[in-house]
Amino acid sequence: ECPKVKLNNGVEIPIVGFGTWQSKPEEVVHAVEYALKEAGYRHIDCAWAYDNEKEVGQGIRNSGVPRSEIFLTSKLWCTHHHRVEAALDETLANLGTDYLDLYLVHWPIHLNPNGNNYKFPTRPDGSRDVLLDWRIRDTWSQMEAVLKKGKVRAIGVSNFSQRVLERDLLPYAQVVPAVDQVELHLYNPQLALVAFLKSKGIVPQAYSPLGSTNSPLLTDETATAIAAAHGLMPADVLLGWLVARGIVALPKSVTPSRIAANYKGALAAAAALTEEELERLDGVAAGGKQKRLITPPWGVDLGFDNWP
Ligand code: A2P
């Protein structure tokens, strides 16, 4: 069984979850079914914006694993900050469930819901149509309300930097976010953010832990050397390092052999890696490899130092 981390409200989250970003709808049905039924995952990470929630829900039902045994996360999209409960209801209907285990604010920005494109509104100059005056605390109070109603078991954030948390959210929050899900991997280890989150009782979650599509991480010399020393795959080391550091890892795959290997390998590597190896992995980025792989297209609007 997968080790769990306790969130700040006592709810337990399996430390390895199954990612679904960039999984095509027709593929994700089978991937989710396989992850639950064959590979042993009990934690699925979704989002309204991934355009595949209905198929994730179908995969969950196909697996035969009871809903109560699954930790299910989804995220509030940027055009929905003014109507959190309605957006949550749509996600619940998509997934075919009546509650989420965790609901996240996907990004710390409100995109214009009446813009020229419902998901990615763009201004005439080509920049993203961000509502710059929106206060994130007004999103968060709605998140707190759906928590209170019992529609979700925990609430958290995604892509929030320390600066945004300290300036715009924590001073106003009744409920401290349970997690912050960010781009976190060998080349973007977020050491300072992770230390800050831990000091606040917020669990870090790693998206793109394998470095996403065409990943440079799988051939990294430190990761491959450490993997070889243990008879593991580089992917195992990339995930096991996170797990050993108490970071929730969310590897994505639609390939059955990889879905199974990532789950087993993450737990095996977390147990096998020595403290010295973990420290070497912590230091890879600082040794000249620091690189963000996912860049938000609205970064220019607010300044890139507003997110991790
Ligand atoms: P696929 O889904 O075709 O199997 P991340 O979790 O960082 O977002 O990375 C996901 C990407 O890494 C996908 O392109 C996925 O491909 C690929 N991938 C997932 N697991 C492995 C693995 N064990 N070895 C190599 N590539 C993998």
Side-chain angles (χ1 to χ4, degrees):
E1 206 186 315
C2 188
K4 291 176 176 150
V5 180
K6 215 184 260 269
L7 302 176
N8 58 17
N9 65 355
V11 170
E12 292 193 319
I13 181 168
I15 196 155
V16 180
F18 186 62
T20 62
W21 181 43
Q22 292 180 327
S23 296
K24 294 193 185 79
E26 63 276 15
E27 293 173 333
V28 88
V29 179
H30 306 291
V32 166
E33 178 180 351
Y34 184 87
L36 291 167
K37 195 158 82 181
E38 311 293 342
Y41 291 78
R42 288 294 179 271
H43 171 180
I44 312 284
D45 185 83
C46 325
W48 181 90
Y50 299 167
D51 290 326
N52 59 11
E53 280 185 324
K54 282 187 183 159
E55 292 78 9
V56 169
Q58 190 60 51
I60 290 173
R61 286 188 294 282
N62 290 357
S63 77
V65 174
R67 170 70 185 88
S68 60
E69 290 180 19
I70 302 167
F71 191 101
L72 189 57
T73 301
S74 191
K75 311 185 189 85
L76 176 81
W77 186 239
C78 304
T79 36
H80 294 158
H81 281 231
H82 58 304
R83 51 181 198 100
V84 171
E85 185 167 9
L88 172 61
D89 286 343
E90 189 179 331
T91 277
L92 293 173
N94 282 342
L95 290 165
T97 185
D98 56 7
Y99 73 99
L100 293 179
D101 294 278
L102 180 61
Y103 197 41
L104 307 183
V105 179
H106 205 148
W107 289 91
I109 54 153
H110 189 356
L111 290 171
N112 184 0
N114 303 312
N116 63 351
N117 175 306
Y118 192 66
K119 203 166 143 189
F120 293 120
T122 305
R123 296 197 205 96
D125 68 0
S127 63
R128 294 300 179 183
D129 197 350
V130 177
L131 301 184
L132 290 164
D133 293 337
W134 180 260
R135 300 184 308 183
I136 226 57
R137 61 184 189 246
D138 294 332
T139 311
W140 192 248
S141 59
Q142 298 172 67
M143 296 291 284
E144 292 171 333
V146 295
L147 175 72
K148 209 166 186 180
K149 269 195 164 181
K151 290 189 174 191
V152 302
R153 296 174 68 220
I155 52 176
V157 297
S158 183
N159 300 297
F160 277 50
S161 65
Q162 175 172 343
R163 169 170 153 167
V164 167
L165 282 166
E166 286 188 309
R167 185 189 60 194
D168 301 336
L169 186 56
L170 293 178
Y172 311 99
Q174 310 286 316
V175 176
V176 174
V179 311
D180 188 4
Q181 183 179 132
V182 298
E183 179 187 337
L184 202 170
H185 48 66
L186 191 66
Y187 289 175
N188 198 36
Q190 308 266 19
L191 300 180
L193 178 67
V194 166
F196 171 74
L197 295 175
K198 290 196 170 167
S199 78
K200 296 289 178 191
I202 302 171
V203 171
Q205 292 189 307
Y207 73 71
S208 303
L210 298 172
S212 199
T213 317
N214 300 322
S215 174
L217 309 185
L218 296 165
T219 50
D220 175 83
E221 59 184 354
T222 306
T224 49
I226 291 174
H230 291 282
L232 295 165
M233 299 295 286
D236 304 336
V237 169
L238 295 173
L239 299 173
W241 162 64
L242 297 171
V243 170
R245 289 294 190 222
I247 296 166
V248 174
L250 303 168
K252 171 268 180 189
S253 177
V254 293
T255 313
S257 58
R258 291 171 170 175
I259 294 170
N262 290 342
Y263 181 76
K264 267 187 132 172
L267 301 183
L273 295 173
T274 65
E275 182 57 32
E276 185 268 332
E277 288 168 332
L278 295 174
E279 284 170 16
R280 265 163 70 201
L281 293 161
D282 288 338
V284 166
K289 296 276 177 71
Q290 174 65 42
K291 188 172 163 61
R292 165 184 282 289
L293 301 173
I294 317 282
T295 305
W298 39 77
V300 286
D301 294 284
L302 296 180
F304 279 100
D305 53 352
N306 277 315
W307 31 74

